[in-house]
């Protein structure tokens, strides 16, 4: 693949400000969100990498200056002989928030070896994350929504305050690891010593040993429960976006931190409205007479049905724009447009009387065509 100019990759002019470079990168990076890109992750990685390489250079005034002067040869020395790798990318933090809400993302990009330093790491005793899908009507993408969901998950046991020990006190510091939860193992092989640090086998990394189990939770420290949580769905949210609600996943083991809840927003798939950014698209059928003479038809919109005025002489596949009937940007209020494609319905059959009237109304043109067809059939029949 021929290397494309960095400005071209980001779609910004040579005079673009740092802010413009940043917002172009963020906008384009969204397209490689794993929720979108999971169908072809290999291609998505290549594209996202090309984009990130361009960003790495153009966002840094010094690297950008050298690139402007010397082109790609200036950055070859920067990235090394094999070219740009994810290890060269130092600005992952600039897009982390776009993806951090998605656990799928973490697997997806960490598989690339992408250095997302700020993402939460697994910690000992931390509860599992819980994922769920939330189905919403399309109107929620316009107004936002605050649905209450019931999340089945593990919560800390009340009776032992999550320790798993009777009354929350019947435990001692693990004698094996001294409370750290980790043990050092030293293996000698010939002249070399192999030192490994692993989870303490006695307390399984918890650092304490239960003397008497809590009878309510039988020592696990957690109970299963259904929690009702109000979810704040912002206006303008895209289909498939994942919201992260920290601390509402499963309870941690023996007092460890709770996991997070991930809610994927899924819009009603049966809706006749399609979406592309802030614009909405739909279709309608216009009876032939209405297309010829004008009138109005009822069209589906995000907010219900609306009347669309059809001017006389409307051509098939004409697109009408209903201003302000599209979607807002994320957390925005001003809405894009709804574009309605009008399919003109041509009747398959006409009665003899209708044919007569139509021939009369349209004059010679239709009459001539009809005449030709009739003579054709007469010829076939003879
Ligand atoms: Zn231990
Ligand atoms: Zn308990």
């Amino acid at each position: 693949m021929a290397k494309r100019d960095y400005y071209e990759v980001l779609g910004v002019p040579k005079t673009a400000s740092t802010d413009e470079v940043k917002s172009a990168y963020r906008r384009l990076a969204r397209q490689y969100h794993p929720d979108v890109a999971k169908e072809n992750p290999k291609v998505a990685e290549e594209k996202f990498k090309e984009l990130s390489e361009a960003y790495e250079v153009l966002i840094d005034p010094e690297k950008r200056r050298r690139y402007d002067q010397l082109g790609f040869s200036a950055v070859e020395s920067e990235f090394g002989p094999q070219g740009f790798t994810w290890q060269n990318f130092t600005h992952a933090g600039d897009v982390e928030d776009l993806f951090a809400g998605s656990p799928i993302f973490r697997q997806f990009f960490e598989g690339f070896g992408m250095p997302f330093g700020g993402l939460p790491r697994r910690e000992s005793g931390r509860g599992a994350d819980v994922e769920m899908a939330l189905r919403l009507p399309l109107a929620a993408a316009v107004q936002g929504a605050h649905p209450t969901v019931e999340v089945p998950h593990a919560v800390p046991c009340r009776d032992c305050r999550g320790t798993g020990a009777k009354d929350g006190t019947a435990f001692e510091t693990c004698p094996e690891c001294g409370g750290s939860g980790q043990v050092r193992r030293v293996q000698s092989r010939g002249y070399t010593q192999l030192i490994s640090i692993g989870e303490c086998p006695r307390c399984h990394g918890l650092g304490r040993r239960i003397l008497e189990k809590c009878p309510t939770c039988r020592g696990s420290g957690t109970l299963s429960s259904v929690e009702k949580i109000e979810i704040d769905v912002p206006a303008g949210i895209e289909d498939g976006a994942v919201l992260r609600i920290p601390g509402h996943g499963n309870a941690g083991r023996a007092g460890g931190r709770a996991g997070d809840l991930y809610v994927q927003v899924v819009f009603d798939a049966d809706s006749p409205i399609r979406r592309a950014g802030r614009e909405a698209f739909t279709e309608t059928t216009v009876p032939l007479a209405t297309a010829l003479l004008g009138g109005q038809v009822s069209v589906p919109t995000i907010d219900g049905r609306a009347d669309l005025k059809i001017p006389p002489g409307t051509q098939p596949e004409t697109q009408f724009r209903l201003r302000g009937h599209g979607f807002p940007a994320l957390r925005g209020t001003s809405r894009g447009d709804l574009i309605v494609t009008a399919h003109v319905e041509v009747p398959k059959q006409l009665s003899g009387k209708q044919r007569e009237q139509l021939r009369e109304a349209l004059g010679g043109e239709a009459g001539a065509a009809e005449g030709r067809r009739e003579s054709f059939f007469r010829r076939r029949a003879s």
Side-chain angles (χ1 to χ4, degrees):
M1 193 170 67
K3 227 168 150 60
R4 288 201 297 151
D5 173 60
Y6 290 150
Y7 290 97
E8 186 190 319
V9 170
L10 284 170
V12 292
K14 284 221 166 12
T15 52
S17 69
T18 307
D19 280 348
E20 282 169 315
V21 169
K22 189 170 177 176
S23 78
Y25 179 66
R26 283 176 61 87
R27 186 169 43 78
L28 292 165
R30 278 196 165 277
Q31 297 172 3
Y32 303 106
H33 191 283
D35 295 331
V36 182
K38 63 190 165 199
E39 273 152 38
N40 201 340
K42 206 70 218 146
V43 172
E45 180 185 358
E46 280 311 310
K47 293 254 174 88
F48 191 41
K49 208 168 154 189
E50 183 188 32
L51 195 64
S52 301
E53 177 181 343
Y55 183 65
E56 178 69 30
V57 172
L58 297 190
I59 198 66
D60 182 313
E62 182 53 32
K63 286 180 196 159
R64 182 174 173 178
R65 195 182 57 76
R66 269 180 291 161
Y67 173 71
D68 286 345
Q69 284 176 347
L70 304 161
F72 291 123
S73 59
V75 291
E76 268 162 29
S77 57
E78 181 81 38
F79 297 144
Q82 80 279 43
F84 176 82
T85 68
W86 288 118
Q87 272 64 47
N88 298 122
F89 193 50
T90 59
H91 290 90
D94 292 356
V95 279
E96 206 173 287
D97 61 307
L98 297 182
F99 300 108
S102 171
I104 321 158
F105 160 74
R106 235 179 295 164
Q107 293 161 11
F108 189 75
F109 282 104
E110 283 182 351
F112 296 171
M114 190 148 174
F116 275 83
L119 288 177
R121 297 274 151 192
R122 286 268 116 217
E123 40 186 283
S124 179
R126 184 173 174 268
D129 294 333
V130 173
E131 289 185 50
M132 63 180 296
L134 176 64
R135 295 197 174 277
L136 290 174
L138 206 51
V142 173
Q143 293 128 20
H146 295 89
T148 298
V149 296
E150 295 194 344
V151 191
H153 64 179
V155 294
C157 169
R158 296 171 306 275
D159 292 350
C160 62
R161 295 189 300 279
T163 60
K166 189 168 186 244
D167 303 324
T169 51
F171 60 81
E172 61 169 17
T173 302
C174 172
E176 181 96 20
C177 62
S180 70
Q182 292 181 328
V183 284
R184 251 171 118 240
R185 280 189 208 87
V186 183
Q187 282 177 295
S188 293
R189 277 194 198 145
Y191 296 106
T192 57
Q193 268 199 340
L194 211 64
I195 300 171
S196 61
I197 293 172
E199 195 181 81
C200 170
R202 188 145 176 186
C203 64
H204 303 290
L206 298 178
R208 53 193 168 196
R209 199 164 70 97
I210 292 171
L211 298 172
E212 200 180 338
K213 285 181 181 176
C214 163
T216 314
C217 62
R218 289 191 226 96
S220 70
T222 61
L223 293 171
S224 55
S225 148
V226 174
E227 191 189 8
K228 283 188 181 172
I229 301 171
E230 193 186 271
I231 310 279
D232 180 26
V233 179
I237 195 165
E238 296 271 353
D239 189 31
V242 178
L243 300 166
R244 172 167 167 258
I245 295 112
H248 287 277
N250 281 336
R253 273 188 303 148
R257 270 200 326 133
D260 299 334
L261 170 66
Y262 290 93
V263 180
Q264 181 168 38
V265 174
V266 182
F267 287 113
D268 176 16
D270 298 332
S271 169
I273 313 282
R274 284 168 298 114
R275 177 176 184 181
R278 291 172 66 227
E279 284 195 327
F281 296 87
T282 194
E283 298 174 15
T284 189
T285 318
V286 178
L288 182 61
T290 312
L292 290 168
L293 306 170
Q296 64 180 30
V297 291
S298 161
V299 295
T301 74
I302 305 161
D303 323 277
R305 299 196 74 88
D307 288 332
L308 175 68
K309 196 167 170 282
I310 304 290
T314 289
Q315 300 296 306
E317 315 312 309
T318 298
Q319 292 195 319
F320 295 95
R321 188 175 280 267
L322 289 174
R323 296 207 183 272
H325 281 75
F327 295 92
L330 188 63
R331 288 171 227 282
T333 46
S334 88
R335 295 171 61 176
D337 301 336
L338 171 67
I339 291 150
V340 185
T341 303
H343 302 297
V344 175
E345 197 174 34
V346 179
K348 287 215 170 72
Q349 274 184 326
L350 293 176
S351 68
K353 193 178 171 210
Q354 283 173 320
R355 286 219 322 239
E356 204 57 48
Q357 286 171 332
L358 196 60
R359 200 175 294 156
E360 231 166 79
L362 297 178
E365 204 188 318
E370 187 82 1
R372 271 200 300 280
R373 217 182 69 171
E374 270 177 16
S375 64
F376 173 77
F377 280 113
R378 265 201 302 278
R379 261 187 278 124
R380 285 286 298 262
S382 64

